[in-house]
Amino acid sequence: MDTQALIFFLAALPAVLLLYTLVRSRHIAGKQAPKGEVKTAGGVRFHYHYLKHSSGSETRPVLVFIHGASGNALDQKIAFEGRFGEDYDLLFVDRPGLGHSSRKAPDHNDPIEQARSIGALLDALGISSCFIVGHSLGAAVTAALALERSDLVRGLAFIAAATHPWPGGVNWYYRVAALPVLGPVFCWTLTLPVGELLAPRAITQVFAPDPVPPNYSAEIGLPLLFRPRTFRANAQDVANLKRYLSRQSDRYGEIDQPALVVTGTDDSVVWPSIHSDGLMRDLCNARLMVLEGAGHMPHHTHSGQIAAEIREMMAALVVGEDMRFASGPSGAQNGSVR
């Protein structure tokens, strides 16, 4: 290729990538249409799945599930919806900017602001009592909900939590995608083709050392993540998280609702020694569940064990039992709870 042809190719490449992104994004929107309900609350057009069961009682808290980074409500829905029978109502929410939910930028980079909007959704749905289950970055929003809406939140479960500031930063592509000017250019040209190409390897790493469930990517609608606006919203969440947690984690002593902290010993995405141990140190009413050999996605690989612990806590809440756990950093054997 001569110099003139190379210059033409380099000049045309951004336009080609932009065109591909536009066409592919439209195709994804057609293939991954919303399957849940939609309601506007707290400045967000929320997409959610509200599974109501006729045998449920109004005195029972609604189980509300908040997903982590790079995902949507279907991640927890496929893991947990069959684990609670007809006993409880279940609400799975796409966080602001993820899945099919909109975002009020830049406010919703902050877990506190996401929690306020989700709280407004709960109000709009007539939910006055709930038990929040948060995974990874969604655990930061779970803690924020307990802080902001103690009137609603009766119990908590933190799964592979990202709740405390950590040493170091985040992957470079999150930082680039979150930038004011370069970020949108990056998201509208490179993230969709490159993201879809690298997704299988990334998912394997997130689940490691556990296997990835069959058809996982298709079942959660993973291509939704690589649409430019969604990828940028996700990147802003991740790139700004440490800064927000530095402030938010100082308030965890205010949380007195009973909490379950679930961690896998082989989690390579978040450090249990920082986040799970940090929650056990800072929360005044928590117990720890350690899953030996589990990675970052124990809600898929150990969903039965986790659901059983949540059901036990929910049953105690329904009958008004006073749950007081002895918090503090501790180890535990496979699947045991302290």
Side-chain angles (χ1 to χ4, degrees), residues 108-171:
H108 282 135
N109 302 341
D110 187 345
I112 290 287
E113 293 299 329
Q114 292 193 25
R116 288 171 179 165
S117 289
I118 292 173
L121 174 66
L122 299 179
D123 291 338
L125 293 174
I127 295 173
S128 59
S129 176
C130 61
F131 187 107
I132 311 293
V133 182
H135 171 245
S136 194
L137 191 149
V141 182
T142 296
L145 259 168
L147 291 168
E148 293 295 309
R149 296 301 307 268
S150 59
D151 59 313
L152 293 178
V153 179
R154 296 184 62 191
L156 309 157
F158 299 94
I159 302 174
T163 49
H164 289 71
W166 63 94
V170 299
N171 288 327

Side-chain angles (χ1 to χ4, degrees), residues 77-232:
K77 184 172 182 288
I78 64 175
F80 282 124
E81 69 172 315
R83 295 292 184 180
F84 294 93
E86 299 295 307
D87 295 331
Y88 298 102
D89 293 345
L90 313 177
L91 177 66
F92 302 89
V93 182
D94 284 346
R95 288 192 296 105
L98 280 295
H100 293 288
S101 290
S102 69
R103 164 165 295 205
K104 183 174 62 177
D107 292 352
H108 282 135
N109 302 341
D110 187 345
I112 290 287
E113 293 299 329
Q114 292 193 25
R116 288 171 179 165
S117 289
I118 292 173
L121 174 66
L122 299 179
D123 291 338
L125 293 174
I127 295 173
S128 59
S129 176
C130 61
F131 187 107
I132 311 293
V133 182
H135 171 245
S136 194
L137 191 149
V141 182
T142 296
L145 259 168
L147 291 168
E148 293 295 309
R149 296 301 307 268
S150 59
D151 59 313
L152 293 178
V153 179
R154 296 184 62 191
L156 309 157
F158 299 94
I159 302 174
T163 49
H164 289 71
W166 63 94
V170 299
N171 288 327
W172 66 269
Y173 47 84
Y174 290 128
R175 298 196 305 271
V176 173
L179 291 172
V181 177
L182 183 59
V185 174
F186 181 74
C187 291
W188 279 96
T189 54
L190 290 173
T191 58
L192 204 157
V194 174
E196 289 192 309
L197 180 66
L198 299 179
R201 180 180 178 185
I203 292 173
T204 299
Q205 291 174 339
V206 169
F207 272 87
D210 297 307
V212 180
N215 302 317
Y216 173 76
S217 297
E219 288 194 24
I220 68 164
L222 184 65
L224 291 169
L225 170 65
F226 302 114
R227 298 169 303 169
R229 289 187 180 89
T230 304
F231 192 91
R232 180 162 161 78

Side-chain angles (χ1 to χ4, degrees), residues 218-266:
E219 288 194 24
I220 68 164
L222 184 65
L224 291 169
L225 170 65
F226 302 114
R227 298 169 303 169
R229 289 187 180 89
T230 304
F231 192 91
R232 180 162 161 78
N234 184 64
Q236 289 171 327
D237 284 350
V238 175
N240 291 292
L241 182 63
K242 180 178 176 179
R243 173 165 59 93
Y244 289 124
L245 291 182
S246 296
R247 179 176 67 242
Q248 177 177 306
S249 60
D250 288 340
R251 297 181 57 197
Y252 289 163
E254 301 172 25
I255 299 173
D256 63 356
Q257 298 95 326
L260 174 68
V261 178
V262 181
T263 187
T265 59
D266 288 8

Side-chain angles (χ1 to χ4, degrees), residues 311-330:
R311 288 176 67 94
E312 180 181 325
M313 294 177 68
M314 292 282 283
L317 288 172
V318 169
V319 299
E321 180 181 328
D322 184 23
M323 284 183 288
R324 286 289 157 185
F325 308 127
S327 299
S330 63

